[in-house]
Amino acid sequence: MKSKLLMIIKIGWLSIWRNKRRTLISLFSILIGTGIPTFFVCIAWGFYAGLVDDVARLMAGHVTYEHVNYRNSPSNDLWVDDIQVINKSLNNNDEVLLTKQIVNLQGVAHTAKGSVGISLMGIEPSKEITISYLPESIVEGEYLSEGDGRWVIVGSKLAESLNVNVGKKFVFTTNDIKGELIEELFRVKGIFKTGSKEIDGHFVQSDIDIARMVAGLSSNDVSQLGIIVKNPDTHERFLQEMQKTLAKKNGVFLSWQQIMPDVATTIRMDRTAISSIMVLLVVIVLFTMFSTILMSTLERRREFASLLAIGTQPIELKLQIFIETILFGLIACPLGSLLGVGIAKWTEGYDMMDVVGGKAEDMTVGGFGMDTIITPLFSIPLILQISIFFFLAVQLLSILPIYLISRISITDVLRST
Amino acid sequence: MNTKKEIVSLRNVIKNYGHGKVITKALQGIELNILEGDFSVMMGPSGSGKSTLLNIIGGLDKATSGEVNFNGKDFNTLSNKALSIIRRNHIGFVFQNYNLLPVLTAYENAEYVLMLQEIPISQRKEKVMHFFQEMGLEGLEHRFPRELSGGQQQRVAIARAVVSDPLLVLADEITANVDSETAQSLLELMETLNKNNKTTFLFSTHDPAVIKFAKKVIVLKDGKITNEQISSENIEKYTKR
């Protein structure tokens, strides 16, 4: 049985090399078919992963703990209390890289030039420096440090709108948690530029202590507790666990997809587009391969007929054809994956804007600027998934020749030549 | 008294092709016995039904009616799979165009049937080498069919047909694609196999040279076996393609 199977595999292997040129064209088409989506997926998924991580670190983490009603109406009077217990517990969790306490205040910034609606985010500067890309985006002045009080950093477009520079001041009008109107003077310590119109035009960061003071919150209260996890891929499971074990009655743990639905939707749409391209490539590859397999089967009708005549079982011939397509897939799909990974690796570190042209500012997803430096993500399960998908698609091609073999009339074929 | 074992027995075998009003009567009431050790030759003009008869005896085609017995088994009642197993184990085929697998060497082509029969490797080697020696194919084991002459390819095809010691070898126009000298040597070879190994052969041919080797000549005409004797006067009629 073993030697028979080996013989069938051998015949299958040798048969695919009868017409080397045709075989090479087919292998090339599978290779390209597997390689292109692998390349795109490595690049795109790398962008998404980078974007999600950047945004999560800048905003409220991969997982966020906040008031149950805050998502529907992110107003200043919706906060979560007794946060230090939860914070301590989270910081003892092995899956957590760190947590960030956030006080968000929605309000209006005024100067003599005019008024602009802003979102002021009170953060812990010492932590922010280690996790967020905002400190690196400072183009004028300095980033915040602990105990900065009324010093804030503002976006470049906001600075322009308010006509403020480093050292200049503006008035921030908001409501405290009791609904009282509060006015507070802030002074610009630094100006940042991220490339995002939303962030650069309407975002201000301050030390959390001053934000708490303005809002009327205690040191045990926050608007949000952002959680940066070590492995963002497993954040959903982590979220479920935390919801069960840590959430209080008025608090809820939410994923970054729930916190930033625009980003999540854009990524989902983009992934769908790439999947569609992949399906299109499969169709093209299958068409190319189809003619090869069909020709190769029709050419060998006489051979098949004589093999059937001398006692080869139809199932053994069908197995041979199936093995031929398996061999096609086994050769080309891994090579295609390697090709895709290789090209993606080669492009690592290049600025995408140099390739596609345009301005980095235009590259925004859900209002957040994207890092245009190519940083591919080499996810082995994902790469294997593409390779296996193409491998299985190629196997579909054996259906026709197998059908043709089952229709062979030995006497007709042998008589015909 | 004839004590030879009956390998093939045909009783009133009819084979019709086509449907409705357009029916071609390929075989009309064939009665035939092939005995163990026979070296029989079927002759007849083109369209006389030789190939059809050979196909029915070989289990490649089924008779429209009549009884086809092979080694005690009624072919009409067997499934295609069962017929395929009988062909694998008991019938050898030699074709006009050799029909060797081009991707296998001469040795592997001959070994192929033994492999289908799941014979152990040591026995396979012994058998194949024995026949290669007997057929003057020594030294050609590793050559591919394209590297062999027509005569050599046909020898390999014969080796493939006889290597599993079949009860019957069916040879269809095996001398048609080789020169007369090669044809002569192939026939001598098969005659030797018949004598030494008691291999039973049934030929279908247009080649008058084959008749010289025949122990029994079956003459087919219009789908029927005739009692006509082949002579120098009428041989042209049976050898015309």
Side-chain angles (χ1 to χ4, degrees):
Chain A
M1 187 67 193
K2 192 180 155 195
S3 57
K4 186 157 67 174
L5 184 65
L6 285 174
M7 175 66 109
I8 291 171
I9 293 171
K10 182 178 179 178
I11 295 172
W13 170 254
L14 294 169
S15 293
I16 65 173
W17 293 106
R18 285 182 194 199
N19 190 328
K20 289 191 181 68
R21 196 158 130 202
R22 197 169 58 198
T23 297
L24 287 173
I25 290 170
S26 297
L27 289 175
F28 186 70
S29 70
I30 307 175
L31 195 135
I32 294 295
T34 317
I36 290 175
T38 303
F39 165 72
F40 273 122
V41 163
C42 288
I43 299 291
W45 266 242
F47 270 118
Y48 304 146
L51 173 74
V52 168
D53 206 43
D54 283 350
V55 173
R57 284 161 182 262
L58 172 68
M59 304 307 283
H62 299 108
V63 174
T64 308
Y65 181 63
E66 62 184 31
H67 192 280
V68 284
N69 295 325
Y70 190 76
R71 207 50 13 223
N72 296 331
S73 158
S75 63
N76 297 351
D77 58 350
L78 292 173
W79 76 94
V80 280
D81 54 6
D82 202 16
I83 203 68
Q84 302 311 340
V85 176
I86 295 174
N87 195 23
K88 192 176 171 190
S89 174
L90 284 168
N91 279 298
N92 288 333
N93 191 309
D94 285 343
E95 293 185 59
V96 175
L97 184 67
L98 57 82
T99 57
K100 54 188 279 187
Q101 297 181 46
I102 302 163
V103 170
N104 289 319
L105 293 170
Q106 314 302 322
V108 180
H110 315 269
T111 60
K113 194 180 179 197
S115 306
V116 179
I118 64 163
S119 174
L120 183 137
M121 181 189 251
I123 44 86
E124 301 160 277
S126 58
K127 279 191 181 173
E128 208 68 11
I129 286 170
T130 63
I131 54 166
S132 169
Y133 67 89
L134 207 58
E136 292 163 22
S137 308
I138 297 288
V139 288
E140 260 183 72
E142 285 174 27
Y143 189 69
L144 301 169
S145 50
E146 300 293 333
D148 261 350
R150 290 187 163 76
W151 289 97
V152 294
I153 57 161
V154 300
S156 55
K157 287 198 188 301
L158 180 62
E160 207 177 298
S161 305
L162 296 173
N163 193 25
V164 290
N165 293 318
V166 174
K168 299 288 180 187
K169 53 189 185 279
F170 65 90
V171 174
F172 177 56
T173 306
T174 187
N175 293 103
D176 66 9
I177 56 171
K178 291 174 188 160
E180 296 289 332
L181 195 67
I182 304 285
E183 284 201 327
E184 198 65 47
L185 187 82
F186 284 107
R187 203 175 281 276
V188 178
K189 187 179 183 186
I191 297 172
F192 60 82
K193 190 175 182 182
T194 62
S196 157
K197 284 175 191 165
E198 296 291 319
I199 303 284
D200 292 349
H202 304 275
F203 191 65
V204 175
Q205 265 193 354
S206 74
D207 183 71
I208 193 165
D209 291 341
I210 188 77
R212 274 193 179 119
M213 193 200 83
V214 172
L217 293 170
S218 77
S219 61
N220 213 12
D221 304 331
V222 290
S223 306
Q224 291 174 311
L225 181 67
I227 303 147
I228 312 294
V229 293
K230 288 176 185 165
N231 181 6
D233 293 340
T234 59
H235 76 278
E236 290 285 356
R237 182 190 47 75
F238 172 78
L239 184 151
Q240 304 296 337
E241 278 175 27
M242 294 303 107
Q243 186 61 33
K244 274 186 203 159
T245 55
L246 285 181
K248 294 177 73 179
K249 234 179 190 174
N250 67 340
V252 63
F253 282 88
L254 298 172
S255 67
W256 67 263
Q257 289 98 328
Q258 291 164 299
I259 300 291
M260 296 171 288
D262 289 356
V263 176
T265 306
T266 309
I267 290 176
R268 207 163 40 240
M269 282 169 66
D270 222 33
R271 283 183 175 169
T272 308
I274 289 179
S275 302
S276 308
I277 293 172
M278 204 157 92
V279 170
L280 194 70
L281 278 167
V282 164
V283 173
I284 294 169
V285 167
L286 292 191
F287 265 107
T288 318
M289 282 288 295
F290 178 78
S291 56
T292 302
I293 300 278
L294 186 65
M295 285 297 292
S296 146
T297 308
L298 292 176
E299 273 175 10
R300 289 187 284 163
R301 269 166 60 85
R302 185 177 177 79
E303 190 178 304
F304 291 146
S306 56
L307 287 177
L308 288 169
I310 63 173
T312 308
Q313 295 288 313
I315 187 78
E316 288 159 351
L317 281 188
K318 290 172 186 174
L319 182 64
Q320 184 193 318
I321 296 292
F322 189 54
I323 284 170
E324 286 176 25
T325 53
I326 285 180
L327 291 171
F328 264 114
L330 281 180
I331 298 167
C333 291
L335 285 177
S337 297
L338 283 177
L339 178 77
V341 167
I343 300 173
K345 185 76 190 160
W346 177 66
T347 58
E348 190 169 8
Y350 282 91
D351 190 336
M352 198 166 68
M353 303 324 286
D354 293 342
V355 183
V356 297
K359 293 179 189 168
E361 293 91 80
D362 299 333
M363 296 290 289
T364 58
V365 173
F368 296 98
M370 280 178 78
D371 184 0
T372 56
I373 301 298
I374 297 172
T375 314
L377 176 76
F378 300 108
S379 159
I380 291 170
L382 203 58
I383 294 165
L384 276 178
Q385 212 174 310
I386 297 168
S387 200
I388 290 168
F389 175 68
F390 271 83
F391 178 80
L392 293 177
V394 169
Q395 300 322 303
L396 290 177
L397 292 168
S398 59
I399 292 172
L400 179 74
I402 283 172
Y403 171 75
L404 288 176
I405 283 172
S406 63
R407 305 272 300 168
I408 280 183
S409 159
I410 305 171
T411 50
D412 287 349
V413 175
L414 291 178
R415 194 186 298 139
S416 66
T417 39
Chain B
M1 190 179 136
N2 192 352
T3 54
K4 283 184 180 176
K5 187 181 164 191
E6 191 177 73
I7 292 174
V8 177
S9 154
L10 305 184
R11 295 287 165 262
N12 194 26
V13 169
I14 291 171
K15 177 69 183 176
N16 295 334
Y17 290 111
H19 298 283
K21 289 177 184 174
V22 191
I23 288 178
T24 308
K25 293 177 177 177
L27 296 176
Q28 300 181 61
I30 298 288
E31 302 273 340
L32 178 68
N33 289 327
I34 308 276
L35 303 178
E36 187 181 23
D38 271 2
F39 200 82
S40 311
V41 175
M42 265 197 300
M43 294 202 84
S46 290
S48 59
K50 298 190 300 294
S51 293
T52 304
L53 187 54
L54 212 62
N55 289 338
I56 287 173
I57 293 170
L60 298 175
D61 204 354
K62 286 199 171 178
T64 309
S65 66
E67 205 178 288
V68 180
N69 250 284
F70 180 90
N71 197 32
K73 290 201 171 76
D74 182 0
F75 271 6
N76 291 336
T77 61
L78 296 178
S79 66
N80 285 337
K81 189 178 178 184
L83 286 172
S84 172
I85 291 168
I86 288 179
R87 289 200 300 271
R88 169 185 292 192
N89 296 331
H90 302 299
I91 305 174
F93 287 89
V94 188
F95 304 99
Q96 180 180 338
N97 294 318
Y98 331 127
N99 289 349
L100 298 173
L101 260 182
V103 295
L104 298 184
T105 61
Y107 177 89
E108 289 165 338
N109 264 290
E111 190 192 22
Y112 182 81
V113 176
L114 297 177
M115 206 165 287
L116 293 179
Q117 292 178 355
E118 295 177 18
I119 307 275
I121 189 164
S122 56
Q123 286 180 43
R124 290 203 304 260
K125 191 171 182 184
E126 194 184 318
K127 278 171 176 270
V128 174
M129 290 318 291
H130 166 74
F131 280 102
F132 266 46
Q133 215 165 17
E134 205 165 334
M135 295 180 172
L137 289 167
E138 289 156 289
L140 303 176
E141 296 91 341
H142 302 296
R143 291 208 191 166
F144 288 95
R146 63 175 180 277
E147 297 166 338
L148 299 171
S149 68
Q152 287 169 331
Q153 285 189 60
Q154 197 58 294
R155 277 168 194 264
V156 176
I158 294 167
R160 179 176 67 181
V162 298
V163 74
S164 60
D165 300 322
L167 292 172
L168 175 67
V169 174
L170 299 173
D172 191 10
E173 303 283 4
I174 61 159
T175 57
N177 285 346
V178 292
D179 59 62
S180 57
E181 204 176 314
T182 308
Q184 178 75 17
S185 73
L186 285 174
L187 289 164
E188 282 168 3
L189 175 71
M190 291 168 101
E191 190 181 41
T192 310
L193 289 170
N194 173 251
K195 276 182 188 158
N196 295 350
N197 307 340
K198 305 281 176 243
T199 310
T200 309
F201 285 91
L202 175 60
F203 294 85
S204 155
T205 187
H206 282 94
D207 186 356
V210 183
I211 299 172
K212 285 191 279 177
F213 291 84
K215 288 181 186 168
K216 182 157 92 185
V217 177
I218 303 153
V219 181
L220 272 170
K221 195 178 174 187
D222 299 329
K224 291 176 187 163
I225 294 177
T226 69
N227 294 323
E228 209 169 320
Q229 295 295 309
I230 306 279
S231 63
S232 54
E233 282 88 43
N234 68 2
I235 194 158
E236 202 181 320
K237 185 165 72 176
Y238 297 102
T239 55
K240 200 157 68 181
R241 283 173 182 272

